[in-house]
Amino acid sequence: MPRENQHYVPQFLLRNFCAEGKLHIFDKKTGREFYSNPRNVMGESDYNVVALKDSYYIDFELRFTHIENLAKPVFEDIIKAQNLSILTPETTATICCFFAIQHARSKASRERMSDLGNELRRRFPDVKTNDLPEFFSDQEYDKFIFLKFATEKLADLAAPLVSKVMVLLKLNCAGQIYISDNPLLLHNQQEFGPYGNIGLGVPGIEIYHPISPDLVLGLLCPTIGLRLKKAQAEASKSLNDLHLAAFRNPQGSIQAQLDHLKEVEEDLQRARHYYSMLFEKRLVPISKENLLFLNSLQLQSAYRFVGARRKDFAFAKQAIREKPHWKDFPRFQFG
């Protein structure tokens, strides 16, 4: 059986966060910091290799490498151009496939699937969960099914992403963007009760992936744009109603009313500008607040390691002190 360090975050991405060939790493479980070559972090020996009982093995690594080789020049072009104008339908689809694979193959996703298999066997010991016990142990069978699904169903995994709006977020403040060992971030402001609100195809989903220390690629559900447009239309109507009420006031508009109208108009103008950046220009500056939000998501979702170009993990350390449960990655909750 081969012994090869196989990455769940591609080395070509990690190199973008390097200075002089190495990047700084923060271990959120232990608080330790170290400096490393990309080939030695965010990967494991034979991570994508499944062992069979008769000393044979199945290696899925080349399938992941193929997607990486397609995505690498696309990311390089975006970093060079600093905008998305260079994208074509083909390169956009390549990014969607890369995101889908990145989501499926992460260490956190693998561990959650392992947790699920172990919990099923614990609760239902008589239920058959391994269809090929003569070839695989239970753990290796889980791994085999997971890798087989991630590679063979790539088109299905990527399909929900193609319809999303791609945006480029660019650092516009002091600080640096983190990249973790689970770099594809999923966030949703909508709530759907017990069904959950996180998933590649869930309405309202926001997906972010850092590609350099100052750039993040995002995919936004089109429903976000529809909600923003609706909110702007409602705000515009409210503003017109306020103007009409002030006009009808026989005593004329007092200064307080005029000041309020000005504030509402400015808020509406800012909302329109934000919509234009997101859904028309598709280029959004990352403010200090945005940076804290993105780095918080990286830290929280990381399986264990967070990387950065500069040795500055003050925010990560403070966040872990305030939220010690972030030391572990989000796991499935079993009732």
Side-chain angles (χ1 to χ4, degrees):
M1 182 172 174
R3 305 302 298 175
E4 177 188 1
N5 196 38
Q6 298 174 339
H7 288 75
Y8 31 86
V9 180
Q11 290 187 71
F12 83 82
L13 269 178
L14 295 177
R15 290 191 191 101
N16 293 343
F17 290 80
C18 287
E20 298 180 351
K22 293 185 177 181
L23 73 161
H24 294 276
I25 301 292
F26 173 69
D27 183 341
K28 73 175 187 177
K29 288 185 180 293
T30 67
R32 185 171 70 98
E33 295 180 49
F34 57 96
Y35 197 43
S36 178
N37 188 297
R39 68 172 175 267
N40 298 325
V41 294
M42 302 190 190
E44 291 182 9
S45 179
D46 299 327
Y47 182 70
N48 295 315
V49 174
V50 181
L52 280 72
K53 287 184 176 180
D54 54 6
S55 299
Y56 289 96
Y57 62 89
I58 305 171
D59 193 344
F60 288 83
E61 178 67 7
L62 286 178
R63 306 184 191 189
F64 294 109
T65 302
H66 174 66
I67 299 298
E68 292 176 20
N69 290 339
L70 294 175
K72 181 176 181 290
V74 181
F75 288 137
E76 289 174 347
D77 288 345
I78 293 172
I79 293 170
K80 183 179 179 180
Q82 297 283 296
N83 61 64
L84 300 179
S85 63
I86 48 85
L87 290 181
T88 66
E90 181 181 1
T91 54
T92 299
T94 298
I95 292 173
C96 291
C97 288
F98 177 83
F99 277 10
I101 277 288
Q102 193 61 39
H103 178 62
R105 73 167 173 180
S106 72
K107 179 69 174 177
S109 293
R110 181 83 61 86
E111 287 292 315
R112 280 192 284 264
M113 288 299 102
S114 179
D115 288 347
L116 180 60
N118 292 334
E119 184 67 12
L120 287 172
R121 283 186 282 271
R122 185 187 71 81
R123 294 192 182 193
F124 309 104
D126 297 329
V127 174
K128 185 179 180 181
T129 59
N130 183 349
D131 292 331
L132 299 169
E134 67 275 22
F135 296 109
F136 300 101
S137 67
D138 288 344
Q139 285 69 31
E140 289 299 299
Y141 181 77
D142 289 348
K143 185 178 180 180
F144 170 70
I145 292 299
F146 185 83
L147 288 168
K148 186 172 183 290
F149 176 81
T151 53
E152 293 185 359
K153 299 296 182 181
L154 177 57
D156 295 333
L157 290 170
L161 304 181
V162 176
S163 63
K164 298 194 169 29
V165 179
M166 188 172 295
V167 297
L168 185 64
L169 290 77
K170 185 175 181 180
L171 192 64
N172 191 37
C173 64
Q176 61 179 341
I177 295 169
Y178 292 162
I179 185 169
S180 75
D181 54 17
N182 187 21
L184 191 78
L185 307 175
L186 277 68
H187 175 72
N188 201 332
Q189 296 187 35
Q190 296 189 65
E191 295 292 341
F192 299 100
Y195 298 102
N197 66 345
I198 297 300
L200 299 182
V202 176
I205 198 68
E206 303 169 34
I207 302 170
Y208 303 102
H209 196 304
I211 61 173
S212 79
D214 62 352
L215 292 175
V216 174
L217 263 182
L219 289 174
L220 306 181
C221 178
T223 61
I224 297 172
L226 295 176
R227 290 204 315 273
L228 289 175
K229 274 291 189 182
K230 182 179 179 181
Q232 289 174 29
E234 292 173 350
S236 182
K237 182 180 182 303
S238 297
L239 181 61
N240 290 336
D241 291 343
L242 288 172
H243 275 293
L244 185 59
F247 177 77
R248 288 175 174 173
N249 186 350
Q251 298 178 347
S253 298
I254 60 176
Q255 189 61 44
Q257 289 176 313
L258 295 175
D259 290 343
H260 178 60
L261 285 172
K262 183 179 179 181
E263 290 177 2
V264 174
E265 287 174 340
E266 290 174 349
D267 288 343
L268 182 57
Q269 189 60 35
R270 278 192 292 268
R272 287 171 174 160
H273 178 64
Y274 181 64
Y275 178 90
S276 175
M277 287 191 300
L278 278 177
F279 295 96
E280 294 170 3
K281 297 179 181 178
R282 299 193 299 155
L283 183 63
V284 183
I286 298 176
S287 64
K288 182 178 179 180
E289 292 75 18
N290 299 144
L291 182 63
L292 290 175
F293 165 73
L294 291 168
N295 283 346
S296 294
L297 287 181
Q298 284 291 340
L299 185 62
Q300 185 179 6
S301 65
Y303 177 75
R304 181 166 183 170
F305 299 112
V306 174
R309 175 169 289 180
R310 300 193 308 274
K311 187 182 179 180
D312 181 8
F313 293 107
F315 166 72
K317 293 177 179 179
Q318 179 183 347
I320 291 295
R321 284 194 299 269
E322 295 176 357
K323 302 178 186 294
H325 60 283
W326 281 9
K327 289 183 178 181
D328 196 11
F329 68 96
R331 293 179 179 270
F332 284 139
Q333 300 294 319
F334 301 102

